[in-house]
């Protein structure tokens, strides 16, 4: 169950479904939880007329300390890149005072059925700059 603290932070207790037979959280689960945190964060953006669709182009996870069943993990979202047509997010995962993982997610703004890359709306760019690290 995820607890929301701020729009850019959620806390999660690692559920049994997210751990392997050795008791460590699956890499894919770090990314999945990071996407949940990012979704929560993204809901607070300003509404934009004719907003493009954002699709994931890249997701990677660097593991520093494995999480285990029932560990309390804090997922903090920040923006690490604002391009003309893309946004890079960094999600830091902490447990206690330790950095457990870093998840990098890259989104591309697209339009149409062909998913043609398009420019980020100015209002969205301005909002994102508040979270740029």
């Amino acid at each position: 169950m995820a607890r929301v603290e701020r729009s850019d932070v959620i806390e999660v207790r690692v559920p049994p479904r997210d751990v392997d037979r050795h008791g460590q959280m699956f890499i894919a689960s770090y990314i999945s939880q990071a996407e949940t945190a990012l979704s929560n964060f993204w809901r607070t953006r300003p509404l934009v007329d004719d907003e493009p669709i954002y699709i994931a182009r890249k997701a990677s996870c660097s593991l520093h300390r494995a999480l285990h069943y029932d560990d309390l993990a804090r997922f903090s979202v920040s923006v690490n890149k604002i391009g003309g047509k893309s946004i890079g997010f960094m999600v830091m995962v902490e447990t206690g005072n330790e950095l457990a993982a870093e998840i990098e997610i890259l989104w591309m703004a697209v339009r149409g059925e062909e998913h043609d890359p398009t420019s980020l709306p100015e209002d969205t760019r301005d909002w994102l700059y508040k979270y740029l690290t």
Side-chain angles (χ1 to χ4, degrees):
M1 181 76 173
R3 190 184 94 195
V4 175
E5 192 173 297
R6 304 183 327 225
S7 67
D8 58 333
V9 177
I10 65 168
E11 285 188 345
V12 176
R13 285 250 177 231
V14 177
R17 72 169 183 267
D18 286 351
V19 297
D20 64 19
R21 64 182 178 185
H22 305 292
Q24 296 184 351
M25 190 167 166
F26 294 112
I27 293 289
S29 294
Y30 289 91
I31 294 171
S32 178
Q33 293 289 0
E35 288 177 323
T36 298
L38 182 52
S39 176
N40 183 66
F41 168 74
W42 193 247
R43 277 194 295 272
T44 66
R45 76 191 182 286
L47 297 177
V48 175
D49 291 335
D50 195 30
E51 185 173 41
I53 296 169
Y54 297 91
I55 57 175
R57 288 289 190 205
K58 174 185 172 186
S60 63
C61 180
S62 296
L63 188 59
H64 300 285
R65 175 215 182 274
L67 293 175
H68 298 86
Y69 166 68
D70 206 36
D71 280 349
L72 182 61
R74 180 180 167 100
F75 288 72
S76 303
V77 178
S78 63
V79 177
N80 68 350
K81 176 189 178 281
I82 303 172
K85 299 175 183 184
S86 64
I87 311 162
F89 299 97
M90 183 62 73
V91 182
M92 307 301 275
V93 184
E94 298 169 301
T95 185
N97 293 328
E98 290 183 87
L99 179 61
E102 298 171 272
I103 297 96
E104 186 176 2
I105 300 172
L106 179 68
W107 282 0
M108 176 74 65
V110 298
R111 291 200 187 279
E113 290 182 27
E114 299 299 317
H115 288 167
D116 296 321
T118 189
S119 297
L120 296 174
E122 284 303 314
D123 288 346
T124 303
R125 293 173 63 78
D126 292 345
W127 175 74
L128 289 166
Y129 275 111
K130 295 188 296 187
Y131 298 94
L132 188 63
T133 55

